[in-house]
Amino acid sequence: MDNGCHLCHLLWESLLTDERIIDSLIPDDREDSHISIQAYNGFAQTMNRIMGEGEKLRVFSGPHRVILDEARGWGSVGLYGQLELTAAQDDPAAACIRRRPDNYDLSSDLTYAKVISWIQECTESHPDCKSPAVRPMPTRVIDVGSCDGSREPFVYESNGESGEYITLSYCWGSSQPTTTTRENVKSHMKRIPLDKLPQTIHDAVLITRKLGKQFLWVDTLCIIQNSVGDTDWQRESSKMNHIYGNAFLTIAACSASDSHDGILARRSEGLLPYRIPYSQLDREECGSVFVSVKEPLKAEDALSLRAWAFQERMLLRRILNYNEEKVSYTCKAGSASGSLGFMLNPSVKNLFLTGRGPKMFSSGEESSAWPMSSESHFNNWYKNIEDYSGRDLKRYTDKLPAISGFAHEMQKLVGGVYLAGIWERDLRLGLLWRSSHGETNAKGSQLRLTATKRAPSWSWAALDGPIHYGATLQEFDHLKDPSSHCAEFLAAEVRPSTFDPLGMVLGGTLEAVGPLKEARWCRRPAGSKTWKPDIFSLGPSIQESPWDILLDVAADGSPLHPSLPAGWEQRHSVEGKANFLDHNTQTTIWVDPRLKEEPVALCTFDIDTDRPPRLWYLPLYRNRGIVLEFLHDRGVYRRVGFFRAKDPGWYLQCPISAITIV
């Protein structure tokens, strides 16, 4: 393909957007592979001439079947990539091809005119997007100066003044961007040379000017980064819900992984559209169309991996997304991209669940058109935490501050006390997080300890890495049944380390009362095909997860005599392990008979290398709870894992204990 024409390159690139197609192009088969093209709703096609009214092309690699369905017409079966067809407004082909070419020059006047038209339609025509009044600006903003460059940007202190401003959501990256410090704050209030700014911030200043706005907020320039005791950063970071929630617009540098990558970079020449002739069988007019690769929807971009960007996107009112291919716009009412204009969609409000769009309470209160119960808010919180927990932080101490703005807005909806990432009003369910390692569709990395303690052990914020609520959310309504509750909580508290009660903490405690039982664990034999998690009815989603066996022991710590659950039978011993058969499910489990302990549950440890030999399990609901270690020197417990049991009856004879968890 290195010596092929531009169109051949586009055809090849369209196939590379699907991993399944790539797999079909392995060297052994490549000589036998061939490429064919089919237009949507078309009748015939060739490499240099397209006939019909299709607006997309399917590019097939290898054989495929063309089928005729009387109800739906023509169709094809096989693996294919896609190319998009567009036509210029003044071209004869525009009568049949509705899409117009995207302008890949993101800094062109045409692109800015398009963006301004989106903003105008949003502010004037969307009831949910109209702001009742101009809102207070942050403590400091950047006055972007004049469009002709005669006046340089500078830091402006608002002194509580109200006005429209734009915020920037971007990645710092490995390089240190230009910052405002104690040493240069006075000079920055006079002038910040535009050519000295990192390219991403430089481009944000130009975009703000072109959109006709005077003020821009950028964290590195509007927060003093080395204030005494870090007080300025602590104060301003606690206001993120107001800073982003009050902003007129947020610019998102989606594809820039570093502050020097820029926003307005041109698209790669190799992927630019290619112009080819166009005609129709029943018409004499000729014209031309542009063929371009239909890019697959990216699950992640550079910005979606940054922890701070999570709440930035959750708190905003409207967002302008810049990526390598194009610019797009999202607000509460819908979205706009390329030449399609606005696509109004009420369900766009649900985008806040994945952190990809303006959320429902970016105006400071819940939309009356979309009322939700407290239970639904909590459920959504857990889903968001699953996303947030796996994102990257430049400073490990930012785990709670980077989400405090979102927590402040959530608190307006559900009330109650916030406990280092968990809500007191839904404490029992909030504690049932676990490592997502091994989960289907999880981000996959294991949880890790931080350099210093930043949250109590029972909070997911104590560890680095993605966490998972999983089946707990699937059984959300069932778990709300009070009859399924086990342990009760007498008190819960955290000790904030700054003046933001929803930010960093020094630690915290839980006072719990409930059935507490000692346990030991047994690792699942490596590579064993006879050990089946579904003996405890845990479902297929964790078949490959790193679950271990939790073994019951006597109250005094002495071994129990083999006492199998109903329906179980010890079959035989092989290589020092006993084979137990569950007659109900006809599945087996291998354990070490020398322990002479009864398997009662499955457990997963928060940190794979942190597996204390003696454990205690505390059920929070009928069949699930947390695994604890007793700290003898302090007389308290700490969390080390999560467990699930098949039969909840095992804890009925457990003594009720009052304990403290730190």
Side-chain angles (χ1 to χ4, degrees):
M1 296 305 299
D2 292 341
N3 298 321
C5 68
H6 193 124
L7 180 58
C8 289
H9 183 58
L10 288 174
L11 293 173
W12 184 252
E13 287 294 328
S14 73
L15 296 175
L16 299 184
T17 59
D18 191 321
E19 292 184 358
R20 297 172 300 171
I21 300 177
I22 297 175
D23 292 340
S24 73
L25 297 175
I26 56 177
D28 292 343
D29 297 336
R30 188 167 296 178
E31 292 184 1
D32 297 328
S33 298
H34 64 278
I35 293 177
S36 56
I37 306 173
Q38 181 188 65
Y40 275 56
N41 302 321
F43 302 101
Q45 53 279 327
T46 65
M47 284 291 289
N48 63 348
R49 196 167 194 174
I50 302 171
M51 308 172 194
E53 298 184 0
E55 295 190 34
K56 291 183 177 65
L57 300 180
R58 285 177 175 169
V59 183
F60 290 88
S61 169
H64 70 281
R65 295 185 292 112
V66 178
I67 59 175
L68 177 62
D69 185 300
E70 293 182 359
R72 293 177 293 179
W74 290 95
S76 296
V77 177
L79 296 177
Y80 59 86
Q82 285 194 140
L83 294 172
E84 289 187 328
L85 301 181
T86 58
Q89 184 65 45
D90 57 354
D91 193 284
C96 298
I97 304 298
R98 294 168 295 174
R99 290 187 64 96
R100 304 293 168 252
D102 287 324
N103 187 342
Y104 296 109
D105 183 358
L106 301 182
S107 61
S108 70
D109 290 339
L110 182 61
T111 297
Y112 283 119
K114 184 187 303 180
V115 169
I116 291 172
S117 70
W118 293 339
I119 295 174
Q120 184 175 0
E121 180 177 349
C122 171
T123 56
E124 295 179 359
S125 305
H126 300 165
D128 285 343
C129 300
K130 292 182 178 179
S131 177
V134 177
R135 302 176 182 183
M137 292 195 294
T139 304
R140 303 176 195 89
V141 289
I142 301 170
D143 187 314
V144 297
S146 56
C147 288
D148 60 8
S150 61
R151 188 165 55 87
E152 295 273 29
F154 63 93
V155 173
Y156 176 76
E157 289 193 342
S158 67
N159 294 315
E161 177 183 340
S162 295
E164 291 184 341
Y165 63 95
I166 290 175
T167 52
L168 174 64
S169 182
Y170 70 112
C171 294
W172 280 33
S174 57
S175 60
Q176 180 70 28
T178 302
T179 62
T180 294
T181 64
R182 288 178 294 169
E183 293 76 21
N184 64 20
V185 62
K186 290 185 177 179
S187 64
H188 277 190
M189 292 178 68
K190 296 178 181 178
R191 175 176 174 267
I192 305 176
L194 186 60
D195 59 359
K196 300 297 183 182
L197 291 175
Q199 194 62 47
T200 299
I201 301 177
H202 174 282
D203 289 351
V205 169
L206 299 183
I207 295 170
T208 303
R209 288 175 175 178
K210 284 288 191 177
L211 297 182
K213 302 302 177 183
Q214 194 67 41
F215 300 112
L216 171 69
W217 187 89
V218 182
D219 56 356
T220 57
L221 297 175
C222 299
I223 299 176
I224 299 175
Q225 299 297 316
N226 67 344
S227 59
V228 177
D230 222 12
T231 53
D232 195 69
W233 182 88
Q234 292 177 11
R235 179 169 50 251
E236 296 303 308
S237 65
S238 69
K239 301 176 182 177
M240 289 300 172
N241 57 321
H242 300 297
I243 291 174
Y244 280 91
N246 290 341
F248 175 79
L249 172 75
T250 293
I251 298 170
C254 299
S255 300
S257 59
D258 190 278
S259 61
H260 293 276
D261 286 351
I263 302 175
L264 302 174
R266 290 183 61 87
R267 191 182 188 188
S268 169
E269 291 294 327
L271 294 178
L272 290 175
Y274 184 69
R275 189 170 186 170
I276 59 176
Y278 174 89
S279 66
Q280 288 186 280
L281 293 176
D282 58 346
R283 298 186 184 182
E284 295 182 357
E285 312 97 281
C286 293
S288 60
V289 295
F290 292 93
V291 181
S292 59
V293 175
K294 178 176 175 57
E295 298 290 342
L297 179 64
K298 294 183 178 180
E300 293 181 335
D301 52 42
L303 200 57
S304 70
L305 301 177
R306 179 175 176 257
W308 278 98
F310 174 82
Q311 73 169 3
E312 292 168 2
R313 188 170 289 261
M314 299 286 281
L315 296 168
L316 52 85
R317 297 156 64 192
R318 51 184 72 91
I319 186 169
L320 194 58
N321 297 290
Y322 282 88
N323 56 35
E324 293 176 351
E325 293 81 26
K326 59 186 177 183
V327 59
S328 61
Y329 181 91
T330 303
C331 63
K332 293 182 180 180
S335 60
S337 176
S339 59
L340 292 179
F342 258 101
M343 297 193 307
L344 299 180
N345 181 6
S347 67
V348 77
K349 295 176 182 178
N350 288 312
L351 288 173
F352 86 96
L353 296 179
T354 56
R356 295 178 181 173
K359 67 174 185 62
M360 60 180 179
F361 46 71
S362 56
S363 61
E365 31 182 74
E366 182 180 2
S367 171
S368 59
W370 193 37
M372 293 176 62
S373 65
S374 293
E375 287 76 13
S376 296
H377 287 309
F378 287 131
N379 203 342
N380 292 334
W381 171 267
Y382 303 131
K383 293 177 182 178
N384 281 304
I385 292 303
E386 289 182 340
D387 178 2
Y388 171 76
S389 62
R391 296 191 177 210
D392 299 328
L393 281 169
K394 196 174 183 69
R395 301 194 307 181
Y396 73 90
T397 55
D398 287 355
K399 192 75 167 185
L400 289 170
I403 202 173
S404 69
F406 181 40
H408 276 286
E409 293 299 320
M410 177 75 171
Q411 193 172 51
K412 296 177 183 178
L413 298 176
V414 301
V417 179
Y418 179 73
L419 301 164
I422 296 174
W423 296 96
E424 185 182 38
R425 286 188 55 194
D426 204 44
L427 182 57
R428 182 179 287 100
L429 196 149
L431 293 171
L432 293 179
W433 54 270
R434 56 185 173 86
S435 168
S436 69
H437 180 56
E439 288 296 331
T440 304
N441 298 325
K443 296 185 179 180
S445 62
Q446 294 183 353
L447 295 178
R448 306 170 300 280
L449 278 173
T450 57
T452 59
K453 184 176 180 178
R454 68 184 177 200
S457 68
W458 40 265
S459 168
W460 53 264
L463 305 174
D464 276 334
I467 63 99
H468 185 69
Y469 279 93
T472 301
L473 297 184
Q474 298 172 15
E475 302 175 28
F476 189 84
D477 293 335
H478 170 70
L479 296 178
K480 289 298 180 180
D481 181 2
S483 66
S484 69
H485 298 176
C486 295
E488 299 294 335
F489 297 97
L490 303 180
E493 66 170 1
V494 294
R495 299 183 300 280
S497 60
T498 69
F499 45 75
D500 181 6
L502 278 56
M504 288 189 287
V505 299
L506 295 172
T509 57
L510 287 178
E511 304 290 340
V513 174
L516 187 68
K517 195 73 166 59
E518 188 177 358
R520 295 179 186 174
W521 65 274
C522 175
R523 188 186 293 273
R524 183 180 73 176
S528 171
K529 295 182 179 180
T530 59
W531 189 90
K532 299 287 187 179
D534 59 7
I535 61 172
F536 294 114
S537 303
L538 298 183
S541 66
I542 63 166
Q543 290 292 319
E544 303 302 324
S545 298
W547 289 78
D548 293 305
I549 306 165
L550 201 60
L551 305 167
D552 199 5
V553 299
D556 60 2
S558 61
L560 289 173
H561 294 291
S563 175
L564 301 179
W568 286 60
E569 175 190 353
Q570 182 171 347
R571 301 297 296 272
H572 57 273
S573 297
V574 177
E575 297 179 354
K577 295 186 175 70
N579 183 328
F580 294 100
L581 173 68
D582 182 352
H583 290 285
N584 296 322
T585 61
Q586 294 301 306
T587 54
T588 59
I589 181 172
W590 292 92
V591 299
D592 188 340
R594 292 171 296 177
L595 294 176
K596 298 187 184 304
E597 293 154 341
E598 181 179 323
V600 292
L602 297 179
C603 71
T604 178
F605 289 94
D606 296 338
I607 300 176
D608 191 58
T609 56
D610 184 13
R611 296 165 173 261
R614 297 189 67 178
L615 304 169
W616 298 82
Y617 43 89
L618 177 70
L620 304 185
Y621 289 98
R622 182 175 292 118
N623 65 343
R624 69 195 71 195
I626 54 179
V627 182
L628 306 170
E629 179 191 19
F630 182 62
L631 305 178
H632 291 273
D633 58 332
R634 300 172 58 187
V636 296
Y637 293 80
R638 73 177 181 99
R639 172 185 161 134
V640 294
F642 168 91
F643 76 84
R644 293 189 66 183
K646 178 181 180 181
D647 180 9
W650 58 268
Y651 69 81
L652 294 178
Q653 303 303 319
C654 294
I656 301 298
S657 303
I659 64 172
T660 300
I661 311 172
V662 296

